[in-house]
Amino acid sequence: MKVYLKFDYNLLTKKILQEKLTELGYKFNIIGFGEFDFLENVSEEKIREITATFQQYGIDIVENQKSVLVQKIKDTIIEMVNSDQPLNVKSSVYLADKLNHSYGYISNIFSDVTYTSIENFIIIQRIELAKQLIINNQLSLTEIAYRLNYSSVAHLSTQFKNTTGITPSAFQRIIIKRREISNKTNL
């Protein structure tokens, strides 16, 4: 039997941080998504232990200042894209306000470190969420377009096809076909 999961990246990451740091016996304060403070001095050896523990979950500790900012930008974008509340301002204004830097500065640092633009990263995150919403099969394409702040289903379809090579409708048909095949093999 195949099971499909829906999960909140922010909550999942926060839960892993809390559980593992508590398990290891550290005093800490979670500041925000992907960021925490130790409330005590921690040796380099302990940092290596924590790093190894987090790496099992695909979580890395970032040390370079530019990399820290880029990670904060990515985290803020993921939080923005996954929010259930529609964004009432442009993403550039949202990012500048959230990160307390000008959008030009944020954009330059991001592209210097990642070799892609913030806009491309946002599109990729939106399309990944669209794929998850299609897989969950609870919303129509119109509802998905609205949920992801697209101006229309056509706009969503264009970006989806440019990113994945297929339309959302074709992706939907593939998922339906896979479920049918999976159900037949499980009978």
Side-chain angles (χ1 to χ4, degrees), residues 47-157:
I47 292 291
R48 284 192 292 278
E49 176 188 32
I50 293 165
T51 300
T53 299
F54 287 162
Q55 283 177 336
Q56 296 172 33
Y57 299 94
I59 300 170
D60 288 316
I61 294 178
V62 182
E63 295 178 30
N64 170 313
Q65 285 299 343
K66 280 186 177 181
S67 296
V68 168
L69 180 56
V70 167
Q71 190 59 51
K72 284 182 180 181
I73 295 166
K74 288 180 176 182
D75 293 344
T76 304
I77 290 169
I78 291 168
E79 182 182 316
M80 175 184 76
V81 168
N82 287 293
S83 172
D84 290 334
Q85 303 299 318
L87 196 58
N88 296 326
V89 296
K90 289 184 172 186
S91 55
S92 57
V93 173
Y94 179 83
L95 290 170
D97 287 348
K98 272 290 230 193
L99 299 167
N100 295 320
H101 290 289
S102 75
Y103 182 72
Y105 177 75
I106 293 168
S107 180
N108 287 336
I109 294 288
F110 192 87
S111 58
D112 283 350
V113 172
T114 65
Y115 303 106
T116 189
S117 69
I118 286 177
E119 292 77 14
N120 284 338
F121 187 77
I122 291 171
I123 290 167
I124 290 167
Q125 294 307 310
R126 288 169 87 189
I127 297 306
E128 285 303 313
L129 182 55
K131 290 186 329 191
Q132 286 301 315
L133 293 171
I134 290 169
I135 289 169
N136 290 341
N137 201 26
Q138 295 175 339
L139 300 175
S140 68
L141 290 179
T142 303
E143 292 168 323
I144 291 171
Y146 175 76
R147 160 82 171 71
L148 296 175
N149 274 340
Y150 280 100
S151 57
S152 65
V153 175
H155 186 207
L156 166 63
S157 294

Side-chain angles (χ1 to χ4, degrees), residues 21-22 24-29 36-42:
L21 288 171
T22 301
L24 294 169
Y26 293 104
K27 294 177 184 162
F28 60 94
N29 180 33
F36 66 91
D37 272 334
F38 282 113
L39 302 176
E40 60 191 314
N41 286 330
V42 180

